[in-house]
Amino acid sequence: MTTTTYTVTGMTCGHCVSSVKEEVGEVPGVTGVDVDLKTGLVTVTSDGPIDATDVGAAVRTAGYELADRP
Protein backbone atom coordinates (compact mmCIF):
# COMPACT_ATOMS: atom_id res chain seq x y z
CA MET A 1 0.00 0.00 0.00
CA THR A 2 1.21 3.50 -0.90
CA THR A 3 0.16 6.81 0.66
CA THR A 4 0.86 10.15 -1.00
CA THR A 5 -0.20 13.63 0.11
CA TYR A 6 -0.94 16.50 -2.24
CA THR A 7 -1.93 20.12 -1.64
CA VAL A 8 -5.03 21.30 -3.50
CA THR A 9 -5.82 24.98 -3.90
CA GLY A 10 -9.21 26.65 -4.28
CA MET A 11 -11.38 24.44 -2.04
CA THR A 12 -13.73 26.47 0.16
CA CYS A 13 -16.57 24.18 1.27
CA GLY A 14 -17.80 20.65 1.85
CA HIS A 15 -18.97 20.37 -1.76
CA CYS A 16 -15.40 21.09 -2.88
CA VAL A 17 -14.16 18.26 -0.66
CA SER A 18 -16.77 15.86 -2.07
CA SER A 19 -15.89 16.74 -5.66
CA VAL A 20 -12.17 16.17 -5.12
CA LYS A 21 -12.79 12.89 -3.26
CA GLU A 22 -15.06 11.63 -6.04
CA GLU A 23 -12.74 12.49 -8.93
CA VAL A 24 -9.49 11.34 -7.30
CA GLY A 25 -11.24 8.18 -6.09
CA GLU A 26 -11.86 7.22 -9.72
CA VAL A 27 -8.14 7.16 -10.59
CA PRO A 28 -7.20 3.52 -11.25
CA GLY A 29 -5.48 1.94 -8.25
CA VAL A 30 -6.72 4.49 -5.69
CA THR A 31 -8.22 2.77 -2.65
CA GLY A 32 -8.89 5.78 -0.44
CA VAL A 33 -8.97 9.58 -0.44
CA ASP A 34 -8.94 11.83 2.62
CA VAL A 35 -9.38 15.58 2.17
CA ASP A 36 -8.71 18.23 4.82
CA LEU A 37 -10.54 21.39 3.78
CA LYS A 38 -8.72 23.65 6.26
CA THR A 39 -5.21 22.73 5.09
CA GLY A 40 -6.01 21.73 1.50
CA LEU A 41 -4.18 18.44 2.03
CA VAL A 42 -5.41 15.45 0.06
CA THR A 43 -4.07 12.08 1.16
CA VAL A 44 -4.35 9.34 -1.45
CA THR A 45 -4.01 5.68 -0.53
CA SER A 46 -3.42 3.21 -3.36
CA ASP A 47 -2.45 -0.36 -4.18
CA GLY A 48 0.87 0.91 -5.54
CA PRO A 49 2.43 4.08 -6.91
CA ILE A 50 -0.01 6.39 -8.69
CA ASP A 51 1.14 8.83 -11.35
CA ALA A 52 0.86 12.38 -9.96
CA THR A 53 -0.24 13.52 -13.41
CA ASP A 54 -3.35 11.33 -13.12
CA VAL A 55 -4.15 12.78 -9.70
CA GLY A 56 -3.60 16.30 -11.03
CA ALA A 57 -5.96 15.63 -13.94
CA ALA A 58 -8.63 14.33 -11.54
CA VAL A 59 -8.24 17.40 -9.31
CA ARG A 60 -8.56 19.69 -12.36
CA THR A 61 -11.69 17.80 -13.45
CA ALA A 62 -13.14 18.59 -10.02
CA GLY A 63 -12.36 22.28 -10.68
CA TYR A 64 -9.22 22.78 -8.57
CA GLU A 65 -5.44 22.72 -8.91
CA LEU A 66 -2.57 20.88 -7.26
CA ALA A 67 -0.22 23.35 -5.61
CA ASP A 68 2.81 21.10 -5.58
CA ARG A 69 2.50 18.63 -8.45
CA PRO A 70 1.61 18.37 -12.15
Side-chain angles (χ1 to χ4, degrees):
M1 180 158 49
T2 302
T3 302
T4 308
T5 302
Y6 303 89
T7 302
V8 174
T9 60
M11 296 186 298
T12 59
C13 65
H15 177 71
C16 301
V17 169
S18 295
S19 295
V20 169
K21 276 186 165 183
E22 180 179 340
E23 293 299 332
V24 174
E26 292 180 9
V27 173
V30 170
T31 58
V33 181
D34 183 51
V35 179
D36 185 318
L37 177 60
K38 187 174 180 179
T39 63
L41 294 179
V42 176
T43 303
V44 179
T45 307
S46 57
D47 293 329
I50 299 290
D51 189 337
T53 306
D54 293 340
V55 174
V59 168
R60 281 190 294 283
T61 297
Y64 309 97
E65 292 291 327
L66 288 183
D68 53 357
R69 306 267 177 146

